[in-house]
Amino acid sequence: MASTTTAPTLIGSVQRALRLLEAVGAHADGAPAKQLARETGLPLATAYHLLRTLTHEGYLVRDKGLFTLGEAARRLAAAGSLQNRRSKIEDSLARWRDVIGAPVCFAVYRDGEIELVAVSDHLATTAAPPPGDRAEHRQVESTMAISLPLMRDAGAAPELERLRGEMRELLRLLAVSISI
C-alpha cells in the first residue's frame, strides 16, 4: 500500500544558508569563509556565494575577513524572545481568568499612555463559579492590581487621576476589578 503522506519540498540553498548562519553564530569573534565552509561541509565557492548574499541582506557582517552575525540576525533573535515573553504573559492571563472567572488584562504605562499588552477575555470551557461560591475567589481578586510607576510630585496628581479614570473605564468594559 502506498503512503498517503508526502515529503515536504525543501529548498537546498535555504538549508545551506541556515547552516552557515548557525556556524557563524557559534563563533563569537567571527570566522573566515574557509573555516565556515569546512564546518558546514559546503564547497568553498557555494559558501562564498551564500556568505556574500547573507552579508548583503544584513544577516552577517564581514570585517577583516571574518564573518559575524549582523543586525538582521539579531532582530530575528530578539523577535523570538519577545514572542516567548508574550506567550508566557498570555498563558498567565488565561490561568488567572479561569481562576477568578472574569476577563483579565495586562497593561503598561509608557510616556503618559496606557498600552494594553494582552487581554484574556474568553472564559475556558469550565464555567465561572456562581456568585454565591465566589467567596474563596475574593482573596485572589483582591490581590490583583495594576501598578503605575508615576513620579511622586504634586505635578503628577492630575495625570494620575486621568490615568485612574482611563483604567476604571477600561476595566469596567472588561469587567475586571482594580485597585490603584
Side-chain angles (χ1 to χ4, degrees):
M1 176 177 216
S3 173
T4 58
T5 60
T6 59
T9 303
L10 304 177
I11 313 263
S13 59
V14 173
Q15 290 176 311
R16 291 186 291 274
L18 291 171
R19 286 199 324 249
L20 276 171
L21 281 171
E22 289 171 348
V24 169
H27 298 281
D29 297 327
K34 288 182 182 180
Q35 180 180 355
L36 295 169
R38 270 193 314 274
E39 290 177 3
T40 57
L42 295 174
L44 186 56
T46 301
Y48 272 121
H49 288 296
L50 290 171
L51 290 167
R52 187 174 24 254
T53 301
L54 290 168
T55 300
H56 176 77
E57 296 296 325
Y59 291 93
L60 297 178
V61 173
R62 183 178 183 191
D63 184 33
K64 299 178 185 164
L66 300 178
F67 290 90
T68 56
L69 293 177
E71 186 57 35
R74 283 190 280 282
R75 279 193 309 271
L76 281 176
S81 176
L82 177 63
Q83 183 58 41
N84 187 29
R85 281 187 300 239
R86 183 172 294 280
S87 293
K88 287 179 182 178
I89 290 169
E90 290 170 353
D91 290 347
S92 179
L93 289 178
R95 279 193 304 277
W96 279 106
R97 175 206 59 216
D98 293 343
V99 166
I100 66 172
V104 293
C105 67
F106 176 71
V108 293
Y109 176 76
R110 286 192 187 123
D111 301 323
E113 297 296 324
I114 296 172
E115 179 184 329
L116 192 58
V117 175
V119 176
S120 186
D121 60 353
H122 295 90
L123 294 177
T125 54
T126 59
D133 296 340
R134 290 185 57 110
E136 66 188 65
H137 296 283
R138 286 195 190 111
Q139 183 177 2
V140 173
E141 290 173 339
S142 69
T143 62
M144 296 187 65
I146 297 174
S147 63
L148 303 172
L150 293 173
M151 298 171 62
R152 301 281 186 219
D153 65 355
E159 179 69 4
L160 181 58
E161 284 308 309
R162 182 186 70 79
L163 290 171
R164 282 184 176 148
E166 285 183 22
M167 289 302 293
R168 274 191 219 93
E169 179 61 18
L170 173 68
L171 294 170
R172 186 188 65 74
L173 293 172
L174 294 173
V176 175
S177 351
I178 184 171
S179 116
I180 296 182

